[in-house]
Amino acid sequence: MKNYELVLNRVEADLAAGRLRLGGRLPGERSLAEQLGISRPSVREAVRVLEAMGVVRTATGSGPDAGAVIVAEPASPLTALLRLHLATNHLPMGDIVQTRVLLESWTAREAAQNQAGGEQLVVAEGLLDRMDEPGLTPEEFHLLDAEFHVALSALAGNVLIAAVMSSLRTAIHSYVLAAVPNLADWDATAVGLRAEHRSIVAAIRAGQGDEAAALITAHIEGFYRAAQLR
Amino acid sequence: MKNYELVLNRVEADLAAGRLRLGGRLPGERSLAEQLGISRPSVREAVRVLEAMGVVRTATGSGPDAGAVIVAEPASPLTALLRLHLATNHLPMGDIVQTRVLLESWTAREAAQNQAGGEQLVVAEGLLDRMDEPGLTPEEFHLLDAEFHVALSALAGNVLIAAVMSSLRTAIHSYVLAAVPNLADWDATAVGLRAEHRSIVAAIRAGQGDEAAALITAHIEGFYRAAQLR
DNA sequence: ACTATGCTGTGGTCCGACCACACAGTCCGC
DNA sequence: GCGGACTGTGTGGTCGGACCACAGCATAGT
């Protein structure tokens, strides 16, 4: 058992037992080191891991926001995880596309059938309005596109699926951008994507779950095919 | 930009550019520190994060297996991530169950329709045989059960979905075990679970995708309802 | 009453040292 | 010549101590 794992176990146990809760703070690194009988560097390694896992957020200085604050941010570590494993080339882009289709078609169907999260849908439409602005660069467009898809995924109210979707869309952003030159005509593509977005939202609003799922499936697969992302 | 992030960026860039590949080794910590003009503790924090992300595996000593070897283990960090966020109580068990149903019903349908991975199916059946042994403790049973569900998820050939499923099933193992006392009659429950497993495999083998998906959905939801896991 | 100043505690970084480990080459006894 | 013991070397693992930057707060001075 490595020393830094002592800290991880301790923190996980404290979280599970309610001794640590969201918004609370970890003991100081020096104090934690003394309590566990290990050195500060070992504690720091553990805190780094916790930070990389989205469990704590560290900040210098004093006051209530300083120190290692307990947060619950599963999306950013998931993104980093995907990015790294994408970089190793052992995570095929095709699998990611397939996963997106699965998750997004499910959330679209759920959202349409349950008609929950109406205000979220308004947020998504606001993003679509911003995407209508002329003169957007492909980068700006795809950042908004990512936000839109993440907003849709949140409609179903499943935090795990929403986090996974958010991470997927963010992790592949640079790959998507790099593939834009593969498109025959970016402007024409953008026009098509905008129209598809609107029809997806319309289907969800109309409660047509199967229709929304089919539209979003075609939307995603169509783009990846056109951009020749594999 | 914190110093340890320098290392992370460097490693990710090296991976993406092919300068580092699976099975290769990171430069030594001391060497890396000198190259980047930072201290060894900063390098170590980064290596810890990479290790926590399943990108490297560290070992002491010398020889080809020593040092920081590049690996691709997305499942174990995902498991840790889920466990930690489950511990914070900001990841509802219901969302996990819902995700399992979504992923597993999809993989079952895919596997049935494509009839791919026949040998994997044999492996899964071997697990079922071992689960038939009398006298298994609930812990042993559920470990085999976890392996079975992971083997099923691998049938569809999507490494991302397989990794997520594997992590889900592993992360909730302790929670499942803790809920066994909620069951009215463990032995009767086990008999039912075994029969459901067999019928799922049979449906996949027969190419009945919708049937397999429905069976596995009922299987998962039924157990969580019986165990009162929420 | 208000402002400025130092105090205190936080994480961020670094240095140098020592340990345990595992392999590889070498030395010594046979 | 051969084999086993042994030292050398490089790896990560751990430690203690030190200094820095930062942010809030108590206090002294105006």
Side-chain angles (χ1 to χ4, degrees):
Chain A
M1 171 83 70
K2 289 165 187 168
N3 276 350
Y4 82 101
E5 294 176 6
L6 292 175
V7 184
L8 296 184
N9 292 339
R10 151 80 179 263
V11 171
E12 183 179 351
D14 282 356
L15 282 172
R19 288 186 294 272
L20 283 177
R21 58 192 66 203
L22 212 71
R25 289 172 35 178
L26 245 54
E29 295 178 354
R30 295 162 178 86
S31 155
L32 215 40
E34 194 182 0
Q35 288 177 35
L36 295 172
I38 59 181
S39 71
R40 193 175 158 215
S42 296
V43 172
R44 283 185 61 74
E45 290 177 12
V47 173
R48 277 281 181 266
V49 171
L50 290 173
E51 193 178 17
M53 296 271 208
V55 174
V56 305
R57 172 181 48 75
T58 62
T60 62
S62 81
D65 276 6
V69 181
I70 313 286
V71 298
E73 193 126 342
S76 50
L78 258 179
T79 303
L81 189 59
L82 285 170
R83 279 173 53 88
L84 277 171
H85 283 91
L86 216 43
T88 66
N89 269 314
H90 275 258
L91 188 49
M93 184 63 78
D95 286 9
I96 291 188
V97 176
Q98 203 171 37
T99 308
R100 277 194 65 181
V101 169
L102 173 60
L103 298 185
E104 296 202 48
S105 63
W106 179 81
T107 50
R109 183 177 285 113
E110 285 285 311
Q113 289 171 354
N114 303 341
Q115 287 296 316
E119 54 288 347
Q120 272 280 1
L121 207 48
V122 174
V123 171
E125 283 180 320
L127 290 166
L128 291 187
D129 290 340
R130 291 171 59 192
M131 291 170 84
D132 283 341
E133 280 179 31
L136 281 183
T137 65
E139 165 132 39
E140 291 167 335
F141 184 89
H142 278 112
L143 282 175
L144 290 169
D145 178 86
E147 273 192 73
F148 170 73
H149 282 273
V150 170
L152 278 194
S153 317
L155 287 180
N158 185 310
V159 300
L160 177 57
I161 289 179
V164 172
M165 257 309 301
S166 167
S167 308
L168 281 176
R169 189 60 189 81
T170 307
I172 62 182
H173 176 248
S174 61
Y175 292 83
V176 169
L177 266 191
V180 165
N182 294 347
L183 295 168
D185 182 348
W186 162 248
D187 288 327
T189 303
V191 170
L193 293 178
R194 287 193 191 97
E196 290 167 17
H197 287 159
R198 295 287 181 185
S199 60
I200 291 166
V201 170
I204 292 176
R205 220 180 254 295
Q208 299 166 341
D210 290 337
E211 174 75 4
L215 285 173
I216 204 163
T217 298
H219 171 64
I220 297 171
E221 290 182 342
F223 177 78
Y224 282 98
R225 205 177 307 116
Q228 301 168 37
L229 269 167
R230 37 92 199 103
Chain B
M1 171 84 69
K2 289 166 187 169
N3 276 352
Y4 82 100
E5 294 176 3
L6 293 175
V7 185
L8 296 183
N9 292 338
R10 151 82 178 262
V11 171
E12 183 179 352
D14 282 354
L15 282 173
R19 287 186 296 271
L20 283 177
R21 59 192 65 202
L22 212 71
R25 288 171 38 177
L26 245 55
E29 297 177 353
R30 295 164 178 84
S31 157
L32 216 41
E34 193 182 0
Q35 287 177 37
L36 295 172
I38 59 181
S39 70
R40 196 177 154 213
S42 296
V43 172
R44 283 185 60 76
E45 289 177 12
V47 173
R48 277 279 180 267
V49 171
L50 289 173
E51 195 179 14
M53 296 271 208
V55 175
V56 305
R57 170 181 49 75
T58 62
T60 62
S62 80
D65 276 6
V69 181
I70 313 286
V71 298
E73 298 250 350
S76 51
L78 256 180
T79 303
L81 188 59
L82 286 170
R83 278 174 54 88
L84 277 171
H85 282 93
L86 214 43
T88 65
N89 269 317
H90 275 258
L91 186 52
M93 184 62 77
D95 285 9
I96 289 187
V97 176
Q98 203 171 38
T99 308
R100 277 194 66 181
V101 169
L102 173 59
L103 298 185
E104 297 203 47
S105 62
W106 178 82
T107 51
R109 184 178 283 111
E110 285 284 310
Q113 289 172 353
N114 303 340
Q115 286 297 312
E119 53 291 345
Q120 272 280 0
L121 205 49
V122 174
V123 172
E125 283 181 319
L127 291 167
L128 292 187
D129 290 340
R130 291 170 60 191
M131 291 169 82
D132 283 341
E133 280 178 31
L136 282 182
T137 66
E139 164 134 39
E140 292 166 335
F141 184 89
H142 277 113
L143 282 175
L144 290 168
D145 179 87
E147 274 192 72
F148 170 74
H149 282 274
V150 170
L152 278 195
S153 317
L155 287 179
N158 185 311
V159 301
L160 178 56
I161 288 179
V164 172
M165 257 309 301
S166 166
S167 308
L168 280 175
R169 189 59 188 81
T170 307
I172 61 181
H173 176 248
S174 60
Y175 292 83
V176 169
L177 266 192
V180 164
N182 294 348
L183 296 166
D185 182 347
W186 162 246
D187 287 326
T189 303
V191 170
L193 293 177
R194 287 193 192 98
E196 290 167 17
H197 287 160
R198 295 287 180 184
S199 60
I200 291 166
V201 171
I204 291 176
R205 220 180 252 298
Q208 300 167 339
D210 291 336
E211 174 74 4
L215 285 172
I216 204 162
T217 298
H219 172 64
I220 298 171
E221 290 181 344
F223 176 78
Y224 282 98
R225 204 177 306 115
Q228 302 169 37
L229 270 168
R230 42 108 202 82

